[in-house]
Amino acid sequence: MDNANRISIRSFTIIVIFVTVGTSILIAPSGLAAAAQQDAWLAGIIGSGVNILLVVLYAAIGDRYPDLNLAQYTDKLLGRWIGAAVTLSYTAYFFLLGSLMIGSMGFFMTTQLLQDTPVEALMLLFSLVVVIALKSGSTVYSRAVEIFFPWTVALLAMLLLCLIPVLEPSRLLPVYEFGAKPILRGAYAFYSLQNSVLLMMLYPYVSPGKGRRRALIGGTLAGNVVLVLLTLLCVMMLGPEQTGNNVYPTYLLAKNVSFGGFLERMEGVLIFIWILSIFIRVLIAFHATIGCVAHVLRIRDENILVWPIMLAGIVVALMCYSNMVIVQESIAKSWSTMSLLPLVLLPLLLYFVSLARGKLALQDQPASR
């Protein structure tokens, strides 16, 4: 592995947190509350547990092939042609994910803040920054993330503290009113928002050792705690109905902050955190996309793919977000089911194939002696 692209354990932990939070910081409470009402936080906890189990699975596969990324050990386990087909399916998933997040960013900014700004201009400017980060390399952007992380934590803590006086815990009652089915439905929708499989394209670049496994699991846990806590606050402040009916309940939550008569409307703080989180997730999504494409086509210089893939992502984002209502309904109904293949089924397949190959190798050793 090229030492020029190494990522420290600390940097990787922070990247995992930002990837986990991502766009979910704005939209996760809405989906959870729409499905589970006042039990949205319970659905979030169960969904977080599923995400932790999936991350443990990803780490188990990655630790078996510590110097290979997802595309590389897929080829090693399944063969060149089947491996290429699986890698291309991941390529499509990563590319669609990154494109949808660019579209989400453009839609939010043009509807909530910059109504008179063309969405195409915002997407191009945002993508330009992503391109600069991609061309700079993983070591550079991982260190940049470290610089912003303390500020993000401080601002998020200030936002949460300012909300405490206006919370109404009674809105969480009665607990378990509608039974387990709505909670499980919300957890099912929540698990697919994390997309932690993206990080397996970065895993071999992280400093080797047990620390990267702990970073992956710990970062995922920390990000999920933030999402569950924000969901809890949204329900306690806005109520389950308003949380579920609003597209961006966390943004509305920040707008209603009023502390001591002088600190009010802290939506700017939330927007800063969200923009940084979505930037990191888009960056990792397109990094993974480019890595998969370069692997399948056997391209050594990945930089030649950056601009074509980013421009294609903008085109797909504009196509997908031509009608926001249709996009939201489609994502709500089909995204979790569609994500079963790349997030659950294919990793399980790779894990069991790696176990089978390991047992066969052990059986062959005595015979060769």
Side-chain angles (χ1 to χ4, degrees):
M1 187 59 58
D2 185 4
N3 289 328
N5 290 320
R6 280 294 184 190
I7 301 175
S8 68
I9 297 296
R10 173 183 168 82
S11 297
F12 185 61
T13 305
I14 296 171
I15 289 174
V16 173
I17 294 173
F18 277 123
V19 169
T20 303
V21 173
T23 55
S24 305
I25 193 172
L26 283 183
I27 63 175
S30 177
L32 288 170
Q37 296 297 308
Q38 66 268 23
D39 292 328
W41 61 280
L42 286 174
I45 292 175
I46 296 174
S48 298
V50 174
N51 290 325
I52 296 297
L53 291 176
L54 290 177
V55 164
V56 170
L57 172 64
Y58 304 154
I61 305 171
D63 288 339
R64 295 178 73 87
Y65 304 96
D67 296 325
L68 303 179
N69 62 34
L70 175 63
Q72 292 167 340
Y73 61 66
T74 297
D75 270 10
K76 184 178 180 67
L77 290 171
L78 303 180
R80 180 171 180 180
W81 297 107
I82 298 177
V86 172
T87 301
L88 286 175
S89 69
Y90 271 114
T91 303
Y93 181 74
F94 296 155
F95 176 73
L96 180 60
L97 178 65
S99 301
L100 287 175
M101 287 187 290
I102 291 177
S104 176
M105 181 280 306
F107 178 81
F108 174 81
M109 296 297 289
T110 53
T111 56
Q112 303 294 327
L113 296 173
L114 306 172
Q115 291 88 350
D116 297 327
T117 304
V119 67
E120 296 85 354
L122 290 174
M123 290 183 181
L124 280 170
L125 288 173
F126 185 81
S127 299
L128 177 61
V129 181
V130 175
V131 167
I132 293 172
L134 285 171
K135 286 184 173 290
S136 299
S138 56
T139 300
V140 174
Y141 69 66
S142 64
R143 290 174 179 171
V145 168
E146 284 195 54
I147 296 173
F148 286 105
F149 183 68
W151 296 97
T152 304
V153 172
L155 291 173
L156 182 61
M158 183 174 65
L159 175 63
L160 298 181
L161 289 173
C162 291
L163 288 170
I164 291 176
V166 294
L167 299 179
E168 295 184 22
S170 61
R171 287 177 170 168
L172 298 175
L173 301 175
V175 178
Y176 207 68
E177 180 181 10
F178 303 103
K181 189 175 180 180
I183 296 175
L184 294 177
R185 190 186 307 120
Y188 179 65
F190 182 75
Y191 96 93
S192 62
L193 296 177
Q194 310 306 303
N195 315 116
S196 300
V197 73
L198 285 168
L199 298 162
M200 300 318 295
M201 291 299 292
L202 285 183
Y203 205 63
Y205 295 99
V206 184
S207 301
K210 294 182 180 179
R212 63 178 174 182
R213 181 187 181 92
R214 289 195 295 266
L216 182 60
I217 297 173
T220 303
L221 177 61
N224 277 279
V225 167
V226 171
L227 295 177
V228 172
L229 183 59
L230 286 173
T231 301
L232 195 65
L233 295 177
C234 283
V235 174
M236 283 194 289
M237 183 171 181
L238 305 175
E241 293 81 9
Q242 191 172 3
T243 301
N245 293 332
N246 198 287
V247 180
Y248 305 115
T250 317
Y251 180 68
L252 183 61
L253 189 78
K255 291 177 69 174
N256 289 330
V257 168
S258 180
F259 186 78
F262 70 93
L263 190 61
E264 300 185 1
R265 293 183 61 97
M266 294 184 63
E267 62 267 29
V269 170
L270 185 67
I271 291 170
F272 171 80
I273 298 170
W274 177 73
I275 288 291
L276 185 58
S277 298
I278 197 173
F279 169 74
I280 299 300
R281 189 184 274 195
V282 169
L283 176 62
I284 302 302
F286 280 101
H287 185 131
T289 303
I290 292 166
C292 287
V293 173
H295 177 77
V296 172
L297 299 180
R298 301 300 190 262
I299 297 174
R300 293 186 177 181
D301 185 9
E302 296 182 0
N303 285 333
I304 64 174
L305 298 172
V306 174
W307 269 116
I309 289 177
M310 286 302 305
L311 292 175
I314 294 174
V315 172
V316 172
L318 290 171
M319 292 172 59
C320 290
Y321 275 83
S322 59
N323 190 316
M324 183 61 183
V325 176
I326 294 177
V327 171
Q328 285 183 319
E329 290 182 354
S330 299
I331 292 176
K333 292 179 180 178
S334 60
W335 183 258
S336 297
T337 302
M338 186 184 75
S339 298
L340 277 174
L341 182 64
L343 297 184
V344 182
L345 300 180
L346 288 178
L348 283 173
L349 172 65
L350 294 172
Y351 180 67
F352 287 124
V353 170
S354 70
L355 290 180
R357 282 180 173 267
K359 289 181 179 179
L360 288 174
L362 289 175
Q363 292 174 0
D364 291 341
Q365 283 180 2
S368 63
R369 293 175 185 173

